[in-house]
């Protein structure tokens, strides 16, 4: 008896992220990091134009960073559930609207509110970038995409200060400091047009409900740590800052206990403890924190030293960082080939090279002060950038290498939250140390002491890098 063959519908093709789509999501990754740093060089102009005191200026910087860090993991979870492309588009559109609000702010408090909203928009957009890369690439393509993501992150931090200096000095159409925010609007419009056409939609196979207790406790933990450290120095360390710091360990312990209990009851915690049991993620996070603390502190101290200590204008101070950007990008692109040959020891080598660059820059500042040019500073700055470029992209690839695809948004959110919190912590701690030393010891001694502390952080990074899982 003849039977008709059963015709099955072909399985849907896996989503694929093309070259233009990768460019688009990397553009979305660059914007939040650029805006974390771009405002630094505009603060004197904002202070003059809006009559903002030091405490309000700290909130312009810190309000963005705290909102950004607090909501990142939640942004990753919501993207896993509702669709990463949708959240990417919503976050990018909100980033453009809040950037416009920052650029048009009539007073300091309006600017602070708009910056907080801008940080929240960034937290919706950024986790979708890593999750989309994880879900739409594999093998060598994923390794290259992750290297480009790491390079974009490092370059964005350097480019933020370069671009900020150029825009403030150019005073386009008489906009002054407002241009550092308004420039985002046409970039966002371009990003939205490209994203609609080139970014595939992905989501987790088993969407999870939002963990409300975990979200609130994580927010309390991060706010109680980052807000007083960011605002305390400018406000004169009032009582509320110490009370807030006392709340932090209690809130952090309660968050961990809540997440463990949710995991045991087979619920879906915001940060699953099982995710932190992944050796690659756990050990990578341990190294990412001192790296990011040192990176942001280094960038802040250099910005102040170049302009106030060496008398550079904002554009010249930005040009002095170009060698760092060039070597960072080159090292990041070479990362996949180096990892295939040397594995995670590439990170160790990056730590050593970065330390050599910081030591060279320290010697240059101590012996040539204050008659230093961009060319004289370039070798130390370039060497430090080379070492940083061998660390960050490789670390990010390593941390997400074992995260399951359906948890890509959460994994990316955890990693970026740790990075963002450490960046804010670096400015608050190393920056405060530097500014506290300036009145008594002088600027040269202050920058020397701060760079010595960073060398200690790099020594810690070397030790931690030796414990990273070997990767090929």
């Amino acid at each position: 008896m003849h039977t008709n063959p059963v015709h099955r519908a072909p399985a849907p093709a896996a989503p694929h992220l093309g070259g233009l789509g990768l460019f688009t999501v990397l553009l979305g990754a660059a914007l939040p990091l650029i805006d974390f740093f771009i405002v630094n060089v505009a603060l004197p102009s904002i202070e003059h134009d809006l009559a903002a005191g030091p405490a309000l200026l700290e909130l312009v910087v810190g309000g963005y960073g705290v909102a950004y860090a607090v909501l990142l993991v939640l942004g990753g979870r919501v993207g896993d559930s509702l669709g990463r492309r949708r959240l990417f588009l919503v976050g990018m559109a909100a980033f453009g609207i809040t950037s416009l609000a920052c650029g048009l702010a009539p007073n300091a408090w309006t600017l602070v509110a708009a910056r907080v909203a801008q940080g929240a928009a960034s937290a919706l957009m950024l986790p979708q970038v890593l999750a989309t890369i994880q879900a739409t690439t594999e093998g060598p393509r994923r390794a290259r995409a992750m290297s480009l993501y790491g390079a974009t992150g490092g370059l964005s931090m350097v480019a933020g200060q370069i671009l900020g200096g150029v825009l403030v000095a150019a005073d386009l159409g008489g906009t002054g400091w407002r241009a550092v925010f308004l420039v985002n609007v046409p970039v966002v419009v371009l990003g939205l047009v490209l994203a609609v056409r080139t970014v595939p939609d992905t989501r987790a196979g088993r969407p999870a409900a939002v963990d409300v207790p975990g979200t609130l406790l994580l927010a309390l933990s991060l706010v109680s740590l980052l807000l007083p450290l960011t605002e305390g120095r400018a406000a004169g360390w009032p009582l509320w800052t110490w009370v807030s710091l006392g709340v932090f360990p209690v809130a952090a312990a309660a968050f961990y206990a809540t997440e463990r209990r949710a995991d045991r009851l087979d619920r879906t915690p915001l940060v699953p403890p099982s995710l932190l049991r992944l050796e690659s993620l756990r050990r990578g996070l341990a190294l990412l924190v001192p790296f990011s603390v040192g990176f942001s502190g280094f960038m802040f101290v250099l910005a102040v030293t170049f302009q106030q200590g060496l008398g550079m204008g904002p554009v010249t101070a930005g040009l002095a960082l170009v060698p760092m950007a060039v070597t960072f990008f080159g090292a990041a692109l070479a990362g996949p080939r180096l990892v295939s040959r040397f594995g995670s020891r590439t990170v160790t080598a990056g730590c050593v090279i970065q330390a050599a660059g910081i030591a060279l820059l320290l010697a240059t500042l101590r012996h040539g002060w204050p008659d230093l040019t961009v060319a004289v500073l370039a070798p130390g700055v370039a060497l430090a950038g080379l070492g940083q470029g061998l660390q960050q992209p490789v670390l990010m690839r390593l941390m997400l290498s074992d995260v399951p695809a359906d948890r890509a948004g959460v994994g990316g959110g955890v990693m970026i939250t740790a990075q963002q919190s450490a960046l804010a912590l670096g400015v608050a701690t190393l920056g405060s140390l530097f500014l506290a030393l300036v009145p008594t010891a002088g600027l040269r001694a202050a920058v020397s002491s701060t760079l010595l502390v960073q060398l200690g952080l790099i020594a810690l990074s070397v030790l931690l890098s030796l414990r990273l899982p070997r990767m090929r």
Side-chain angles (χ1 to χ4, degrees), residues 446-466:
V447 69
S448 298
S449 299
T450 310
L451 290 179
L452 285 172
V453 172
Q454 190 182 0
L455 284 174
L457 286 173
I458 297 172
L460 174 62
S461 297
V462 170
L463 295 176
L464 291 171
S465 73
L466 297 175

Side-chain angles (χ1 to χ4, degrees), residues 399-424:
M399 281 186 279
L400 295 179
S401 60
D402 297 324
V403 175
D406 63 348
R407 288 182 166 185
V410 178
V414 169
M415 182 183 75
I416 303 165
T417 298
Q419 181 193 39
Q420 183 64 34
S421 302
L423 288 173

Side-chain angles (χ1 to χ4, degrees), residues 231-306:
E231 188 70 5
R233 182 188 61 84
W237 296 105
L239 178 62
W240 73 262
T241 59
W242 298 108
V243 172
S244 182
L245 288 171
V247 168
F248 166 67
V250 178
F255 171 69
Y256 181 69
T258 300
E259 299 300 272
R260 282 195 65 186
R261 183 171 182 272
D263 225 9
R264 280 201 308 270
L265 296 175
D266 209 22
R267 294 175 186 163
T268 50
L270 186 70
V271 180
S274 55
L275 204 61
L276 297 178
R277 285 198 291 268
L278 295 172
E279 183 186 34
S280 54
L281 180 62
R282 186 178 67 254
R283 294 192 177 183
L285 284 172
L287 181 49
L288 182 68
V289 169
F291 173 84
S292 299
V293 166
F295 192 105
S296 63
F298 178 70
M299 295 298 293
F300 175 81
V301 168
L302 285 194
V304 176
T305 300
F306 288 171

